[in-house]
Amino acid sequence: MFVGDNSVMTKIAVGVDGSDGSRLALRWAIEHAAEGDEVSAVYVWQLSRGPRPDFVPVAELQLVRAEADCFVGEVVDAVTAGLDRTLPRIQWVSYYGHPGRWLVDLSDEVDLLVVGSRGLGGFTGLLLGSVSTYVVHHAHCPVVVVPAESSHDEPAG
């Protein structure tokens, strides 16, 4: 459990994009949350619009937002389907914009941020920017980066 005293509700936000890494992060948050805690699955989406990326017709935004809400709900359902325990309160939300910035903004309102890792380690990981790197460097609360599962066991030594 993340918090030993069940009288204190902990708010946990998890960055979810549908990737295996984000599903692992959501599962980690749910498994480490206490029964009274609140876990929010946060999906942040963007539209690529060419020369005017900030201009998106309202009708299109409403349609995509509805699809985004449905998508993140399906991810939550898929992750929680196989869990055999009492679940914390789980909600999901979607936002339009930059994922890292939204998660950092949310870090003022939550006790813990959880993000997945896409497994870009070593030198390549240093060269490429990512949401998890951005969040780790800018968040106002503790951050957990859940590593990708290894497809095989590493030999010792």
Side-chain angles (χ1 to χ4, degrees):
M1 298 293 168
F2 179 66
V3 175
D5 180 4
N6 286 342
S7 65
V8 178
M9 181 187 74
T10 301
K11 291 183 177 183
I12 304 168
V14 184
V16 174
D17 65 4
S19 67
D20 290 342
S22 74
R23 290 171 189 258
L24 287 171
L26 181 58
R27 184 178 181 111
W28 186 94
I30 291 168
E31 289 177 345
H32 288 83
E35 188 175 327
D37 291 348
E38 180 178 283
V39 175
S40 295
V42 180
Y43 176 57
V44 183
W45 48 278
Q46 296 175 313
L47 296 173
S48 179
R49 309 271 319 159
R52 295 198 53 203
D54 294 332
F55 176 74
V56 180
V58 173
E60 186 175 347
L61 276 177
Q62 291 171 336
L63 177 64
V64 176
R65 182 176 308 279
E67 291 173 359
D69 289 342
C70 184
F71 169 77
V72 71
E74 290 171 358
V75 171
V76 169
D77 289 345
V79 169
T80 58
L83 297 179
D84 186 24
R85 68 172 296 241
T86 302
L87 299 176
R89 292 183 344 166
I90 302 172
Q91 64 179 8
W92 56 87
V93 63
S94 67
Y95 298 105
Y96 174 71
H98 184 276
R101 288 190 203 126
W102 268 109
L103 291 171
V104 168
D105 286 349
L106 288 171
S107 73
D108 286 327
E109 303 171 17
V110 299
D111 302 299
L112 180 68
L113 278 176
V114 182
V115 293
S117 169
R118 293 201 180 216
L120 292 175
F123 189 68
T124 305
L126 292 174
L127 291 176
L128 299 175
S130 69
V131 171
S132 58
T133 299
Y134 184 85
V135 169
V136 165
H137 286 94
H138 299 286
H140 305 127
C141 70
V143 177
V144 172
V145 179
V146 178
E149 289 183 331
S150 176
S151 59
H152 56 77
D153 293 329
E154 296 288 328

